[in-house]
Amino acid sequence: MKKILYVALLGLFSTAAMAQHDKPYVSSKFAQLEQLLPTPNNYRTGSGAPGHEYWQQKANYKIKVTLNDDNQTLTGSETITYYNYSPDKIDYLWVQLDQNKYKKGSQAFETQNTRLDEKPTFDMLQMVVGQTSEWGCKIKSVKNKSGKPMKFTINGTMMRIDLPQPLKAKGGSVTFSIDWENKILDANKAGSRGGYEFFAKDGNYLYEIAQWFPRMCVYDDVNGWQNKQFLGSGEFALTFGDYEVAITAPADHIVGATGELQNASKVLTSTQMKRLKQAENATKPVLIVSQQEAEKAEKSKSKKTKTWVYKAKNVRDFAWASSRKFIWDAMKVKIGNNDVWAMSYYPKEGNPLWGKYSTQVVAHTLRTYSKYTFDYPYPVAISVHGAIFGMEYPMICFNGGRPRADGTVPANTRRAMISVIIHEVGHNYFPMIVNSDERQWTWMDEGLNSFMQYLSEKEIPEQSWAKADYPNGYPHRRGPAKNIVRYMRTDPTKIVPIMTNSESIPQFGNNAYGKPATALNILRETVMGKELFDHAFKTYSQRWYFKHPKPADFFRTMEDASGVDLDWFWRGWFYTTLPVDMSIEDVQAFTFTKPGEKLEASKDGIKHKAFDNSQFKGIKERLSKGYGLNMTDAEMAMFKPGKYYYTVKCKNIGGNIMPLIIQANFVDGSSQIVRVPAQIFRQSPNEVSKGLLFDKQVKSFQLDPMLETADINTKNNAFPRSSANSKFKKFKKEKKSGSK
């Protein structure tokens, strides 16, 4: 009772203790997510870690494929050995035929919304008229290990293979073979994730080959078979395995691929072998094939062939690129205890941009991503330039960013090229190694990777190869909170939560890339702090290294490894479309004066109520004698002149809870920032009042002065309203005339 009376007395002036509602209210915004997340079990634990009975399947491939440069087709034969480590017997297998997305009558085509503008493009007309050629994967045969035909059924982009006998649980395996053929797409016309680019000036093709062979679907403990149709947005759900791929191409082509080249002495010249050896210890990229040599090859058009053999272990996919136009450079990079090849393949049309930057950016990406996750485990990382502006596969990616015809490079082109290489090389980590299900949850790879891309981009100005280009910092597209504000202002009926299936997302880039990347950046810099966040994020990355995580595994691990309850954050940012809009509604001020002293009338809108501290004469003695509670001199100092008490009333207009970042601007020109955790809203989600004590008089208050929370209306962040700081005014000017 004694302490209660003391606190009550102080509560007259310390506004943090002021009641805001007549009745207590527990906010549903802080309710836990148990009802939304799956129940933990022996496979996936409540901590977010794999359980002691966690299992996953494996699929090994041996593939032979021939590239026909005359009619742009692929003819292939593969042998797949599929291992069942699940506790279930399996009656049939599901195989992905991604090329069937482009086949006449495909579900992807039939469900497209189409319209014609005043200036129709080829793509618009194609959507109305339909595909004009027989694209798709042509299955010639499916046979068992003995060469006998197996029954199969094709359903769009999926093929079911019926097994004569169920595949036994926990260790059963089956080997079968598939022969197939498909026509390579013109990437500039089909909008595909792989294809060819034709160069009319020299009559040559550049091939970026992806999603090109029948691949095993994932069978896991959450979905069983992940056999959702491939409609275009939901990219991959793939099983890890080992690959041996023999690629037969024209003899004058250079072929780069997932994995390590097994027969270099047979397909490379002695000069190229010598240069590769030199590149092993180089500090900057070494040309394995020079531009002059590539230009000479452009004219040869050999009718002979070479077979390039690549092997890759523990990868979930395989892609490759082939052209006689390729310039090729490389250098080795030390990542932890691993020596990794950083390589680039590009035509002369990519220079001078690609020769200067590409391989350096690959190396930079490996270093920065490894710092925040795990050491890059693969032996190579390749960046290829062609018609595909940005697509990722294990150890190899396809990237855009081409100089003008006269060789000049606009600053935006250089930035786009650097950023897309970071992004696509970064996908080796998410989802090529931390192997999330892109067919269902795009944000788990694109969002996490876009966040990591932002961290990597922040270090670009420190690199020797980029210092001259970015002396004032690198221009980020996604990551900073202010960059997502325009999207968060969108009509709520036209957007969906991040936790939406990949094929059902409008504004795909903002939802699946930008918003989750921004959320993680806010989580790191504003909610958790870098130390706690970085430890938790690295824990998640290493827990699910070469495994198949789900959203709950990420959410739970981030909380488990940090000791921070984040359910309110996941709910607001991932499960709703609510924006952040906090407002300072009112400020009340109290101060003490000397006996007879009068406080000057406020001219700035914050009215101070003055108390003559003589009315508190003897308070120490009264409290000590009357209630047996001793007050220290420091406690008594609160009642002396020169102390200023403020109640800052804040309203949550947008609905998405965030910490309050309150900047007090004092009359002497100085300022101080007070950070209030989001939990202040836990019992009052719509409006709170925060009591603050300063030794100086405050002239004005500003919420979120550094634009950390993606607040969609900063006009109501200042009190008085006319006192918005200069930083805010500058930001508004930039947004009015700025970029996307």
Side-chain angles (χ1 to χ4, degrees):
M1 174 63 90
K2 298 171 184 175
K3 291 187 178 181
I4 291 176
L5 289 174
Y6 170 52
V7 172
L9 180 61
L10 294 183
L12 293 173
F13 314 104
S14 178
T15 56
M18 295 176 66
Q20 298 170 55
H21 296 279
D22 294 334
K23 297 179 180 180
Y25 172 73
V26 179
S27 170
S28 63
K29 296 181 185 296
F30 284 88
Q32 299 299 285
L33 289 179
E34 271 83 358
Q35 293 178 338
L36 297 176
L37 301 183
T39 303
N41 53 45
N42 291 348
Y43 309 133
R44 297 169 192 272
T45 68
S47 70
H52 66 277
E53 292 185 18
Y54 174 82
W55 55 267
Q56 63 188 38
Q57 312 290 62
K58 183 177 182 179
N60 291 344
Y61 298 78
K62 288 189 176 182
I63 305 174
K64 294 181 180 179
V65 61
T66 298
L67 167 64
N68 189 319
D69 192 37
D70 294 326
N71 61 14
Q72 288 69 60
T73 58
L74 292 178
T75 303
S77 176
E78 67 182 353
T79 298
I80 302 175
T81 301
Y82 184 75
Y83 299 88
N84 179 25
Y85 295 117
S86 79
D88 314 317
K89 67 180 181 67
I90 294 178
D91 297 312
Y92 45 78
L93 308 175
W94 280 101
V95 177
Q96 302 183 49
L97 307 177
D98 286 8
Q99 289 296 310
N100 283 358
K101 171 185 180 291
Y102 306 98
K103 192 175 182 179
K104 280 189 175 182
S106 72
Q107 186 179 130
F109 168 73
E110 295 295 342
T111 58
Q112 283 286 339
N113 282 288
T114 56
R115 62 183 175 84
L116 291 179
D117 293 333
E118 293 181 1
K119 297 180 180 179
T121 64
F122 178 87
D123 290 343
M124 292 177 188
L125 290 170
Q126 188 180 46
M127 284 294 102
V128 175
V129 176
Q131 286 91 332
T132 57
S133 64
E134 280 295 329
W135 293 333
C137 186
K138 299 176 178 63
I139 300 296
K140 296 180 178 180
S141 69
V142 179
K143 299 178 181 179
N144 65 16
K145 193 173 184 180
S146 301
K148 294 181 179 180
M150 299 178 73
K151 182 181 178 182
F152 65 92
T153 302
I154 295 177
N155 174 21
T157 59
M158 293 291 161
M159 178 171 69
R160 190 188 72 241
I161 301 175
D162 297 326
L163 299 175
Q165 294 179 343
L167 189 59
K168 70 177 183 179
K170 297 184 178 180
S173 66
V174 61
T175 298
F176 60 98
S177 63
I178 304 174
D179 294 337
W180 83 97
E181 181 179 283
N182 63 60
K183 186 172 179 61
I184 303 170
L185 304 173
D186 183 336
N188 285 317
K189 293 180 181 178
S192 56
R193 298 174 186 271
Y196 69 77
E197 179 177 9
F198 178 66
F199 293 82
K201 285 187 178 180
D202 53 60
N204 281 293
Y205 291 84
L206 188 159
Y207 299 93
E208 295 173 304
I209 307 299
Q211 295 162 248
W212 55 283
F213 63 100
R215 302 174 297 173
M216 290 302 305
C217 294
V218 168
Y219 183 87
D220 66 22
D221 59 291
V222 175
N223 300 304
W225 286 108
Q226 175 50 289
N227 53 10
K228 290 182 182 295
Q229 292 290 324
F230 176 50
L231 302 180
S233 295
E235 291 179 335
F236 316 119
L238 297 164
T239 298
F240 287 113
D242 300 335
Y243 285 74
E244 180 178 335
V245 182
I247 303 166
T248 300
D252 49 4
H253 274 216
I254 295 294
V255 177
T258 298
E260 294 180 285
L261 183 61
Q262 301 298 300
N263 61 338
S265 60
K266 292 184 178 180
V267 295
L268 301 181
T269 67
S270 59
T271 300
Q272 291 165 352
M273 293 284 289
K274 182 179 179 181
R275 291 169 180 171
L276 271 174
K277 188 68 177 177
Q278 178 187 351
E280 288 184 1
N281 299 308
T283 56
K284 62 181 181 179
V286 172
L287 284 169
I288 313 304
V289 177
S290 69
Q291 180 166 331
Q292 183 180 9
E293 291 163 340
E295 289 175 347
K296 182 179 179 181
E298 286 178 347
K299 303 172 184 177
S300 61
K301 308 287 177 65
S302 175
K303 295 299 180 182
K304 296 180 180 180
T305 62
K306 286 182 181 178
T307 298
W308 301 61
V309 179
Y310 282 90
K311 284 186 178 182
K313 289 186 176 296
N314 210 14
V315 294
R316 60 173 230 157
D317 200 2
F318 190 100
W320 50 284
S322 180
S323 182
R324 60 177 59 89
K325 290 179 65 66
F326 276 146
I327 302 164
W328 175 18
D329 68 42
M331 69 178 183
K332 272 198 171 178
V333 185
K334 193 74 172 178
I335 304 296
N337 295 322
N338 304 326
D339 292 317
V340 181
W341 279 111
M343 294 181 175
S344 297
Y345 297 77
Y346 47 95
K348 65 178 185 295
E349 287 78 5
N351 270 336
L353 184 62
W354 276 72
K356 181 177 180 181
Y357 293 103
S358 179
T359 297
Q360 294 280 20
V361 178
V362 173
H364 172 71
T365 306
L366 298 178
R367 294 186 183 108
T368 53
Y369 274 63
S370 294
K371 178 170 62 176
Y372 292 106
T373 57
F374 45 77
D375 290 342
Y376 184 75
Y378 290 137
V380 64
I382 297 171
S383 171
V384 179
H385 178 48
I388 308 299
F389 191 85
M391 267 313 296
E392 72 279 1
Y393 304 94
M395 303 188 226
I396 189 170
C397 56
F398 307 149
N399 303 304
R402 186 168 294 177
R404 293 173 175 149
D406 62 2
T408 58
V409 181
N412 284 343
T413 300
R414 182 180 64 233
R415 184 208 63 80
M417 178 258 205
I418 291 174
S419 288
V420 76
I421 293 176
I422 292 175
H423 186 89
E424 306 307 341
V425 172
H427 270 307
N428 278 288
Y429 295 79
F430 308 98
M432 301 303 156
I433 297 170
V434 181
N435 190 8
S436 56
D437 180 358
E438 300 175 82
R439 192 59 54 88
Q440 178 65 31
W441 306 114
T442 297
W443 71 267
M444 285 198 74
D445 72 292
E446 298 295 359
L448 270 60
N449 186 44
S450 295
F451 164 70
M452 283 297 306
Q453 175 189 339
Y454 171 62
L455 295 185
S456 187
E457 286 177 348
K458 289 173 71 173
E459 298 187 27
I460 285 177
E462 304 170 12
Q463 310 308 310
S464 59
W465 47 269
K467 279 184 178 179
D469 299 316
Y470 302 104
N472 300 316
Y474 190 83
H476 308 288
R477 184 183 178 194
R478 293 180 174 126
K482 64 181 182 180
N483 291 4
I484 202 67
V485 167
R486 182 177 297 180
Y487 171 69
M488 297 303 291
R489 289 177 181 151
T490 302
D491 180 348
T493 64
K494 297 181 180 179
I495 57 178
V496 296
I498 291 174
M499 291 293 291
T500 300
N501 174 266
S502 301
E503 298 296 346
S504 303
I505 300 173
Q507 298 200 49
F508 194 81
N510 283 321
N511 178 285
Y513 294 66
K515 187 179 177 183
T518 302
L520 294 178
N521 186 41
I522 292 173
L523 200 59
R524 181 176 188 256
E525 297 190 354
T526 301
V527 176
M528 296 174 69
K530 295 178 181 179
E531 182 178 358
L532 287 176
F533 179 94
D534 289 353
H535 173 75
F537 193 80
K538 180 173 283 192
T539 299
Y540 166 74
S541 303
Q542 295 182 354
R543 276 180 174 178
W544 292 96
Y545 178 84
F546 288 118
K547 294 181 176 67
H548 302 277
K550 305 297 181 184
D553 303 316
F554 177 69
F555 297 151
R556 285 168 166 157
T557 294
M558 292 299 292
E559 295 191 23
D560 179 71
S562 67
V564 181
D565 183 354
L566 296 170
D567 284 22
W568 62 272
F569 187 87
W570 308 132
R571 186 186 301 278
W573 277 93
F574 287 77
Y575 286 89
T576 80
T577 59
L578 295 173
V580 176
D581 182 6
M582 298 290 181
S583 169
I584 299 182
E585 294 293 297
D586 188 29
V587 173
Q588 292 181 315
F590 304 85
T591 190
F592 291 99
T593 61
K594 297 177 182 178
E597 179 185 8
K598 292 184 178 181
L599 190 70
E600 288 188 16
S602 174
K603 298 179 181 179
D604 54 28
I606 298 180
K607 297 179 180 180
H608 290 73
K609 185 175 181 180
F611 289 88
D612 184 334
N613 70 346
S614 63
Q615 62 188 293
F616 295 100
K617 184 177 181 181
I619 186 173
K620 181 175 182 179
E621 291 77 7
R622 290 204 303 273
L623 286 174
S624 298
K625 294 178 180 178
Y627 305 107
L629 178 66
N630 292 321
M631 292 180 65
T632 66
D633 291 338
E635 291 167 340
M636 282 301 298
M638 291 189 295
F639 298 91
K640 293 181 179 179
K643 295 292 182 181
Y644 297 86
Y645 300 83
Y646 296 90
T647 299
V648 181
K649 183 189 291 184
C650 296
K651 189 173 183 180
N652 176 14
I653 298 173
N656 195 355
I657 298 294
M658 287 277 20
L660 294 176
I661 306 167
I662 306 172
Q663 178 173 293
N665 301 307
F666 300 108
V667 293
D668 66 1
S670 62
S671 63
Q672 178 181 338
I673 290 180
V674 177
R675 293 181 177 269
V676 183
Q679 282 76 9
I680 191 174
F681 288 99
R682 65 190 181 277
Q683 293 185 358
S684 178
N686 300 318
E687 187 175 279
V688 296
S689 293
K690 178 61 181 174
L692 303 173
L693 169 64
F694 301 109
D695 292 327
K696 296 183 284 188
Q697 185 177 347
V698 175
K699 182 178 181 181
S700 64
F701 287 96
Q702 176 79 37
L703 277 179
D704 195 14
M706 293 177 286
L707 308 175
E708 297 178 52
T709 66
D711 195 313
I712 66 169
N713 179 22
T714 49
K715 290 180 180 179
N716 58 19
N717 284 16
F719 193 91
R721 291 285 187 257
S722 60
S723 63
N725 62 33
S726 58
K727 183 184 295 186
F728 165 65
K729 292 178 181 178
K730 180 180 178 183
F731 166 67
K732 290 296 290 181
K733 183 177 180 181
E734 291 173 348
K735 288 299 290 182
K736 187 175 181 180
S737 60
S739 60
K740 296 179 180 179

